[in-house]
Structures are given as structure tokens and as C-alpha cells.
């Protein structure tokens, strides 16, 4: 091996270690790869930054925008709800229809977004049928991965292997090239889940109530009412006349102000000379607190705090403790403000940080009312280091809660979604979004324009027609994934340039070549499926796709079977909760354990392996 090979291999190994350990964000690691490849001279500047202008990267970014419009206009929600309504009361029929619905949606839009939209409905249906959500949520997650593998645009690995073919001067995959294989795998997955129904975990935990769907029920589940107090600002209070941010009441006294109830201003009915006839309303005006909100005499602060902190603060700050009202949650939930439950996904930038370090209230304009983690109980929230799978109850204005939906790489909303949808989803634009989506698919299938061109045109149209604002379009893009792909594509280039891929292909061929191309394809599938359980499917595909191409070319056979095997294997992320965001998304609501994924997922991977070994050589003869 040459020195350039050793350097490139070392960069690759370090990147993989950092991806697995997640000590650094994956996009930071990918950018580091680009910089180091330039600094070491392995790649020129033009070669190293070529990933950021790759048609695959631009296609995926455009699809994120179109998918954002599908979700934000409520189109995905409406389609899912219409299909779910016909499920009836049969558990098996519900399982089948859910898997079909999710698989179809995931073939055209984000699998994570699809599961996030449909999960609250699944939990509600499970509650009405008196079955554990764990009987349905894992099949839904698996169906999203299988459905994504069924079309060219369903998942990034499919796009990457198609791009690999095109760069090699070969005909890329068409829109439905993956469909035969994907549909067969989806049908096998549905049949497998029907057979495994009795073996699916039935987890019912006291920490999670299956019937929780509304904000009031969320408050009950997190026992927030026990920590809600009413404090009146007295005339001698040091808070009077100060902005909330200047009082530092949260830092000094661990008190979160959730709402302010302020006496309505007096109204003058008549004036005779210096005398005025005024009317003072008995009803107070609700005010949602902002950092610059100035506190006034007789303001009633609805706060979240411990009884001890309330007692201490009331004495020091001259606040009088008011009696609690029977329906205290009315102050926390209204047309303008509410609560929602969110889950921390596996590669969230919040992992390892505390609420205080994140300055959660300042950055997101929301208050964390509670944190749930299986087997743990937290009284002081600000010092809790967040972990993936943690559930957080947040309170604030609906529009600020809705903003979290645009940051699906950091948060996924699972509770209180119906209120968010009714307040903020742009249902009026759903027909236009459907028309644009249908037009995009027809043009892609017809092949009248390059796929990237069609996707970018559709992305432009959803913005121009008002289905999505430009700011929302930027927020819809998972920039972490985009940077990851753009940063790792040069690694693929470097591996080919220094001869590392050719060397690996030679070793691979010498080892398995004597057994024939079918065995080599099986080896590539198994290698990819193992990697994708601990790495992102995107990074795995970028690394292994060139190896599949060179190996097939060295054997003098059509590389499409090998590359499709790699793409499909990259989507078979079933065996661990961190293998895919959708696995982590359902983990908390289904109360799944690590072993549940392995027990149900490994046999599914084996079934997929057998299916690929039988069907792919028929579709693409060697």
C-alpha cells in the first residue's frame, strides 16, 4: 500500500469511529474529512468540495423542501387519517393497513416525517382497541424503511447508488427501478409482522399512558399540576417594574413563569369636569411572558416550581401565594399557548447538554415542564443531561411549538400534535401541494427532465405558490444530512483516486470470487447491513457503493445488481434503536428495549437477505 492509501484509510477509520461513538456531530466529522483530504493533498480543492455541487445532494435538498410542504399543509396527515379510518377494529387488518400506508408515503417523502405524522394516530387507535402501542409502532417503523427502499427518491442510499452509476458513465437507475424489489420486501415484511404478532412486545408502562393525545392529558401524565402555583406581585415586590429577564427569577429561585394574569385596565364610561365614571372588569387578561415583559403590581404569575422554592421566593421577593384554581391547566392551554411532548432523536445536537446549557427558554421560547426517561425521575430539570429517547413536556405559544417540527433532526413531536395541526397547519394549500407532488412524480417517471431538475422545480413551486415560505423551506432541509452526504462523497472520490477501492475489490474478489458473483453480492449485502446498524445509511452507502461498482466491473458483470443490493441493505436498519431515526422515534412511545429490535429485526434482515439473493439475479442477470 502507498502512503496515500494509508492516509486515506486512516481518515476513513477515524471518521467511522467518530460516527459510531458520536463524540462529534456527524456533519462536523464530514466537514473534517473534507478539510483533511485537502490539507493532506489527497484531493485538490475542486475535488474536495465537489460534493456540495453534486446532483445527488441538490436532489435530496429539494426533496426535503417538497416533503416539508407535504407535511406542513397537512396533506400527509389527511392521507394517513383517511386510510386509517377504514381499518376497523381488527388488530391484524389495522397492522396491515398501517404498514401499507406508511410504506407508500415513505416511498415519496421522508420516512421520519411519515412516522412522526402517523404515530399519534396509531397510539390513539391502539388505546381505543385496548392494545399496547408496542404491537403496532415497531411494524410501522419497519414499514417506513421498507417503503423508502421502493423508489428512487424514497431514501438517500437509492439516490447515491444511482449517482454512482451515472458518474461511471453507465445508465442510472430509473424512478421505479427499485420498486419490484421494494414491493416484494414490503409484502414479505407485512407477512412477517402478521406471523410475529404474538411475539411482538406488549409493553405497558406506568410511565407512559397509551391514551395520551391531548395537552390536558399530557399535563396529567407528567403530574405538572402538583408543581403549578399562583404568585401575586405585591406593591413592595422587587419584581414590580422589572422585565422578566432582569429579575433572574429562574436562575436564582428555580421558578419558571408560564403565564401572567393581569387585571384588565379600567374603562372610562363618562367624564363630568374632573370627575370620571370608570368600570373595572373582574376578569384578568392573560399574557404570555416574554423576556422583555415588564411585571406590574397585582400581576398574578402562574409558575412551575417546587413548594420549597415557591416559599423561599415569595418571602424574598414579596410575592403572595394565591389559592390554586380547580382548572389550573386553563392558564397553560389556550388558543395562543399550549403544551406538547417531544422526543430527542439519536443524532440530536441536544444530546449530552442540559436545559440550562441550551438556554432552552431563550433559544426556543419554550419552557420545559417535565422530562421522562424509563427508570428515572427528575425533580430539578435544568441540570438533567439529555439523552436520546428522552421525552420532554414543553409549554409556550403554539407557533413556537410548531417551529420544533421544522427541526426534526433535534426534536420529534409525539404528543399534543392535534392542537398544533388545528392551529398552524396550512390545510388550504394541501390541494396545491398534492398537484405539485403529482406533477413532480409524473415528470420523474416520464424522464422528460433530469430528476434533479424536476425536484428543484417542484421545490421552487411549493415556495412560489405559498405552500411553504422560504424560511420554512430552509428549515425543512435536514442540513446535517446534506453536509454529511456532501462531506462523505469526497471520501469516496479519494478512496477511488488512491486505489484503495481497487485494492479492496481485489481482496474481496480473491476471497469470495471463487464462489461466484452471487456470493460476492451476498457479502456486499451483509457488509452493508452490518455497517448500517451503527452508521447512518447514507455514510454506509457512500463508503461501500464504489467497492460494489469496482468489484462488479472486475468480474465483467452488470454492476446494477451489486449496487442495488448495497442500497437495499443500507435501508435494512432494523436491529438497533439507533440504526435509524424512525427506530428511536417509536422507542419511547412503545416502551421498547434494545433487545426488542434485535429479536424482531435480525430475522427481518435475514429474510431480506434471502429475498435479495433470489430475486436480484433474476431482475439483473449476472
Amino acid at each position: 500500500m502507498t502512503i496515500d492509501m494509508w492516509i486515506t484509510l486512516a481518515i476513513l477509520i477515524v471518521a467511522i469511529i467518530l460516527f459510531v461513538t458520536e463524540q462529534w456531530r456527524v456533519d462536523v466529522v464530514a466537514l473534517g474529512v473534507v478539510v483533511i483530504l485537502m490539507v493532506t493533498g489527497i484531493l485538490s480543492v475542486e475535488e474536495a468540495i465537489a460534493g456540495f455541487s453534486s446532483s445527488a445532494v441538490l436532489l435530496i435538498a429539494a426533496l426535503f423542501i417538497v416533503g416539508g410542504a407535504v407535511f406542513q399543509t397537512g396533506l400527509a396527515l389527511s392521507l394517513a387519517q383517511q386510510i386509517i379510518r377504514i381499518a376497523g377494529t381488527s388488530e391484524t387488518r389495522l397492522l396491515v393497513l398501517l404498514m401499507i400506508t406508511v410504506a407508500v408515503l415513505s416511498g415519496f417523502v421522508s420516512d421520519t416525517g411519515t412516522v412522526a405524522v402517523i404515530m399519534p394516530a396509531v397510539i390513539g387507535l391502539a388505546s381505543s382497541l385496548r392494545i399496547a402501542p408496542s404491537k403496532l409502532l415497531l411494524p410501522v417503523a419497519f414499514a417506513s424503511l421498507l417503503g423508502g427502499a421502493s423508489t428512487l427518491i424514497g431514501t438517500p442510499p437509492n439516490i447515491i447508488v444511482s449517482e454512482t452509476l451515472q458518474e461511471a458513465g453507465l445508465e442510472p437507475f430509473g424512478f421505479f427501478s427499485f420498486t419490484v424489489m421494494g414491493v416484494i420486501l414490503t409484502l414479505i415484511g407485512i407477512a412477517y409482522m402478521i406471523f410475529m404478532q404474538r411475539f411482538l412486545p406488549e409493553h405497558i408502562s406506568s410511565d407512559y399512558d397509551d391514551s395520551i393525545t391531548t395537552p390536558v392529558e399530557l399535563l396529567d401524565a407528567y403530574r405538572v399540576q402538583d408543581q403549578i402555583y399562583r404568585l401575586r406581585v405585591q406593591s413592595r415586590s422587587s419584581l414590580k417594574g422589572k422585565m422578566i429577564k432582569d429579575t433572574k427569577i429562574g436562575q436564582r429561585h428555580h421558578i419558571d413563569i408560564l403565564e401572567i394574569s393581569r387585571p384588565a385596565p379600567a374603562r372610562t364610561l363618562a367624564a363630568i369636569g374632573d370627575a370620571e365614571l370608570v368600570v373595572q372588569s373582574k376578569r384578568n387578561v392573560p399574557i404570555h411572558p416574554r423576556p422583555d415583559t415588564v411585571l406590574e403590581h397585582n400581576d398574578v404569575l402562574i409558575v412551575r416550581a417546587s413548594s420549597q422554592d415557591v416559599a423561599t421566593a415569595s418571602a424574598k421577593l414579596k410575592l403572595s401565594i394565591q389559592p390554586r384554581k380547580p382548572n389550573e391547566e386553563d392558564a397553560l392551554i389556550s388558543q395562543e399557548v399550549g403544551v406538547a411532548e417531544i422526543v430527542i432523536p439519536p443524532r440530536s445536537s441536544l444530546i449530552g447538554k442540559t436545559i440550562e446549557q441550551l438556554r432552552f427558554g431563550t433559544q426556543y421560547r419554550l419552557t420545559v415542564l417535565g422530562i421522562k426517561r424509563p427508570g428515572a425521575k427528575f425533580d430539578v430539570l435544568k441540570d438533567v443531561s439529555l439523552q436520546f429517547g428522552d421525552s420532554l413536556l414543553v409549554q409556550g405559544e403554539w407557533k413556537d411549538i410548531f417551529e420544533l417540527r421544522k427541526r426534526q433532526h433535534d426534536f420529534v413531536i409525539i404528543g399534543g400534535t392535534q392542537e398544533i395541526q388545528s392551529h398552524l397547519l396550512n390545510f388550504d394549500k394541501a390541494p396545491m401541494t398534492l398537484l405539485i407532488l403529482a406533477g413532480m412524480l409524473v415528470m420523474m417517471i416520464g424522464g422528460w427532465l433530469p430528476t434533479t431538475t424536476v425536484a428543484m422545480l417542484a421545490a421552487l413551486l411549493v415556495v412560489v405558490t405559498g405552500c411553504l415560505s422560504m424560511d420554512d423551506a430552509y428549515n425543512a432541509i435536514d442540513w446535517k444530512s446534506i453536509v454529511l452526504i456532501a462531506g462523505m462523497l469526497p471520501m469516496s472520490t479519494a478512496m477511488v483516486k488512491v486505489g484503495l477501492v481497487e485494492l479492496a475489490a481485489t481482496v474481496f474478489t480473491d476471497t469470495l470470487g471463487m464462489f461466484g458473483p452471487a456470493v460476492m453480492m451476498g457479502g456486499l449485502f451483509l457488509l452493508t447491513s452490518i455497517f448500517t446498524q451503527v452508521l447512518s445509511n447514507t455514510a454506509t452507502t457512500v463508503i461501500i457503493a464504489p467497492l460494489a461498482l469496482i468489484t462488479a466491473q472486475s468480474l465483467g458483470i452488470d454492476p446494477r445488481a451489486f449496487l442495488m443490493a448495497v442500497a437495499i441493505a443500507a435501508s435494512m436498519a432494523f436491529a438497533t434503536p439507533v440504526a435509524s431515526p424512525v427506530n428511536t422515534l417509536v422507542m419511547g412511545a412503545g416502551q421498547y428495549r434494545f433487545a426488542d429490535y434485535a429479536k424482531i429485526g435480525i430475522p427481518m434482515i435475514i429474510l431480506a437477505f434471502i429475498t435479495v439473493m433470489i430475486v436480484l439475479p433474476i431482475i439483473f442477470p449476472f
Side-chain angles (χ1 to χ4, degrees), residues 205-228 324-330 332-333 339-341 369-372 377 393-395 415-416:
S205 168
S206 60
D207 289 338
Y208 194 91
D209 183 352
D210 299 339
S211 64
I212 294 172
T213 57
T214 69
V216 174
E217 290 168 337
L218 286 172
L219 292 174
D220 289 337
Y222 281 80
R223 298 179 178 85
V224 172
Q225 288 89 336
D226 298 338
Q227 298 176 307
I228 301 298
R324 294 185 182 183
K325 292 188 175 181
N327 297 321
E328 200 69 79
E329 65 270 10
D330 290 346
L332 307 182
I333 304 168
V339 297
E341 187 176 27
L369 300 181
I371 300 176
K372 275 189 180 182
K377 184 178 180 180
L393 183 67
V394 297
Q395 189 266 350

Side-chain angles (χ1 to χ4, degrees), residues 170-487:
L170 301 171
E171 183 181 354
F173 288 119
F175 188 87
F176 287 124
S177 295
F178 297 86
T179 303
V180 173
M181 195 73 248
V183 168
I184 292 173
L185 286 171
T186 301
L187 293 175
I188 289 174
I190 292 172
Y192 169 71
M193 285 300 178
I194 293 173
F195 173 77
M196 291 293 289
Q197 262 185 304
R198 71 192 77 176
F199 303 108
L200 285 167
E202 191 167 2
H203 298 317
I204 300 177
S205 168
S206 60
D207 289 338
Y208 194 91
D209 183 352
D210 299 339
S211 64
I212 294 172
T213 57
T214 69
V216 174
E217 290 168 337
L218 286 172
L219 292 174
D220 289 337
Y222 281 80
R223 298 179 178 85
V224 172
Q225 288 89 336
D226 298 338
Q227 298 176 307
I228 301 298
Y229 294 88
R230 302 174 71 88
L231 302 176
R232 186 176 65 84
V233 179
Q234 300 184 70
S235 59
R236 296 179 295 119
S237 173
S238 59
L239 300 184
K240 188 178 69 171
K242 287 187 177 180
M243 289 190 290
I244 292 177
K245 64 181 180 181
D246 296 332
T247 66
K248 301 190 184 302
I249 192 171
Q251 298 170 335
R252 294 172 180 170
H253 301 285
H254 312 304
I255 288 178
D256 295 318
I257 302 176
L258 308 178
E259 198 71 7
I260 301 172
S261 181
R262 177 170 294 172
R267 290 187 298 124
T268 301
L269 294 183
I272 302 175
D274 294 333
E276 292 183 342
L277 177 62
V278 298
V279 176
Q280 178 67 54
S281 173
K282 291 184 178 181
R283 297 185 63 182
N284 283 7
V285 177
I287 298 173
H288 186 68
R290 293 286 185 180
D292 58 354
T293 301
V294 177
L295 299 178
E296 298 179 1
H297 175 221
N298 282 331
D299 278 352
V300 176
L301 313 180
I302 293 90
V303 303
R304 177 206 167 275
S306 66
S307 57
Q308 182 178 353
D309 288 333
V310 166
T312 302
S314 63
K316 288 186 176 181
L317 303 176
K318 300 296 186 294
L319 303 170
S320 63
I321 303 176
Q322 303 291 294
R324 294 185 182 183
K325 292 188 175 181
N327 297 321
E328 200 69 79
E329 65 270 10
D330 290 346
L332 307 182
I333 304 168
S334 67
Q335 187 71 17
E336 290 76 30
V337 299
V339 297
E341 187 176 27
I342 61 176
V343 169
I344 305 298
R347 293 179 176 87
S348 170
S349 61
L350 279 66
I351 292 174
K353 299 177 182 177
T354 66
I355 301 298
E356 188 172 49
Q357 289 171 339
L358 291 167
R359 301 180 65 202
F360 202 95
T362 302
Q363 185 171 357
Y364 304 108
R365 299 180 296 279
L366 297 169
T367 301
V368 177
L369 300 181
I371 300 176
K372 275 189 180 182
R373 183 183 301 164
K377 184 178 180 180
F378 306 110
D379 294 322
V380 180
L381 304 181
K382 67 183 184 68
D383 298 326
V384 177
S385 293
L386 298 178
Q387 298 179 7
F388 86 84
D390 282 352
S391 299
L392 280 63
L393 183 67
V394 297
Q395 189 266 350
E397 294 188 25
W398 288 118
K399 63 183 180 62
D400 292 327
I401 294 175
F402 187 72
E403 287 297 314
L404 299 186
R405 290 177 61 92
K406 304 169 186 176
R407 302 172 59 100
Q408 289 189 354
H409 51 288
D410 283 334
F411 310 97
V412 178
I413 300 178
I414 63 170
T417 55
Q418 291 180 352
E419 282 69 21
I420 300 171
Q421 291 154 2
S422 64
H423 281 79
L424 297 165
L425 288 186
N426 190 7
F427 289 100
D428 292 341
K429 292 293 184 179
M432 178 59 70
T433 301
L434 179 59
L435 181 63
I436 294 171
L437 178 63
M440 181 187 79
L441 297 178
V442 168
M443 292 183 71
M444 284 183 173
I445 294 167
W448 301 321
L449 289 172
T451 304
T452 303
T453 304
V454 175
M456 294 182 70
L457 175 61
L460 177 63
L461 286 175
V462 297
V463 173
V464 171
T465 57
C467 300
L468 204 65
S469 70
M470 197 62 205
D471 288 339
D472 289 339
Y474 283 122
N475 290 328
I477 299 174
D478 185 351
W479 291 105
K480 188 183 293 186
S481 296
I482 294 297
V483 173
L484 171 64
I485 299 169

